[in-house]
Amino acid sequence: DAKTTQPPSMDCAEGRAANLPCNHSTISGNEYVYWYRQIHSQGPQYIIHGLKNNETNEMASLIITEDRKSSTLILPHATLRDTAVYYCIVRVQGGSEKLVFGKGTKLTVNP
Amino acid sequence: GAVVSQHPSRVICKSGTSVKIECRSLDFQATTMFWYRQFPKKSLMLMATSNEGSKATYEQGVEKDKFLINHASLTLSTLTVTSAHPEDSSFYICSAAELRGGRNIQYFGAGTRLSVL
């Protein structure tokens, strides 16, 4: 799996948009970008994933650059409950393909 | 999203005993499940890939005789920590891969915190 680079920590004010960057400059053509988050002492939660087009769901938006070497996860209106470690992972889309977790970004949403 | 149930959420045991952790996919079938371990303030580390009806694939450095994995059905995988010792104390998390409509997403259980005295 390609490696990803994320800032170790970020802060965001409650109600504002949180933009979490991820660099994956060695991503292969058949690798997807997945985002998960882990709230303290819980299992990771799936957020969103994409290949090359921008994606949006009820939780977040994923913006992938045209060269696919980086992406940004956007939480449009952050709440205190969004405080968590956010992981950006790239991998091929196969049922037996494992997820390799890096260190992620610790997002703290402040009141 | 799909639901993965993990039980128990917390277990405290004496050194030398064995502990079994269950991972169930509640509303989908999972031919592949994964077991992770997480130490405090560290990221998740994959221990093994569990395939229904076949032997698990263990990551390098993980003792297969100590961490027994059984994936007997499409909705249940179990991890047994045999002869547990204090250094096995950790947060164990399972995930199950849901394949639907060309999408492949892993959903995680809530985790099991194991404390070995």
Side-chain angles (χ1 to χ4, degrees), chain A residues 96, chain B residues 31-33 49-57 69 71:
Chain A
S96 61
Chain B
T31 56
T32 305
M33 293 185 175
T49 301
S50 171
N51 300 297
E52 188 268 335
S54 64
K55 292 183 178 180
T57 303
I69 292 172
H71 193 159

Side-chain angles (χ1 to χ4, degrees), chain B residues 20-65:
Chain B
K20 179 185 284 188
I21 303 170
E22 291 188 349
C23 181
R24 294 180 184 272
S25 56
L26 295 187
D27 49 1
F28 66 100
Q29 294 182 330
T31 56
T32 305
M33 293 185 175
F34 302 85
W35 288 95
Y36 295 80
R37 179 167 55 182
Q38 186 175 33
F39 291 106
K41 298 187 179 181
K42 299 292 185 182
S43 189
L44 282 79
M45 294 296 295
L46 180 68
M47 298 175 65
T49 301
S50 171
N51 300 297
E52 188 268 335
S54 64
K55 292 183 178 180
T57 303
Y58 290 81
E59 295 297 300
Q60 190 173 10
V62 178
E63 299 177 59
K64 63 180 181 180
D65 294 330

